[in-house]
Amino acid sequence: MTKEIKKENKKYYQCEICKFYYKEEKWAEKCENFCRKYNSCSLEITKHAIKA
Ligand SMILES: [Zn+2]
């Protein structure tokens, strides 16, 4: 499951495997599914990540 992070009144979602943060839950989920399956990150997905 993705982790919900609250920071400065904003909600972020974290991929528990690669620890990237996303503004949208759907990307965090995609990332986590990809990370789990391939044991690495997809650039197509992580480009949607935000800086923690
Ligand atoms: Zn990930």
Side-chain angles (χ1 to χ4, degrees):
M1 271 306 283
T2 55
K3 208 171 168 184
E4 235 181 81
I5 310 280
K6 272 181 194 150
K7 208 176 173 185
E8 291 157 18
N9 286 330
K10 281 174 196 150
K11 234 195 248 177
Y12 299 108
Y13 301 90
Q14 185 184 34
C15 169
E16 289 203 305
I17 296 162
C18 68
K19 310 293 182 196
F20 273 112
Y21 290 89
Y22 295 90
K23 247 188 233 176
E24 291 172 86
E25 192 176 13
K26 63 172 182 179
W27 287 113
E29 270 174 14
K30 269 184 217 227
C31 186
E32 214 172 85
N33 290 338
F34 194 98
C35 288
R36 190 173 292 129
K37 204 167 170 184
Y38 300 102
N39 232 334
S40 75
C41 284
S42 161
L43 275 181
E44 281 299 298
I45 297 170
T46 55
K47 71 179 180 188
H48 295 274
I50 52 160
K51 282 179 191 167

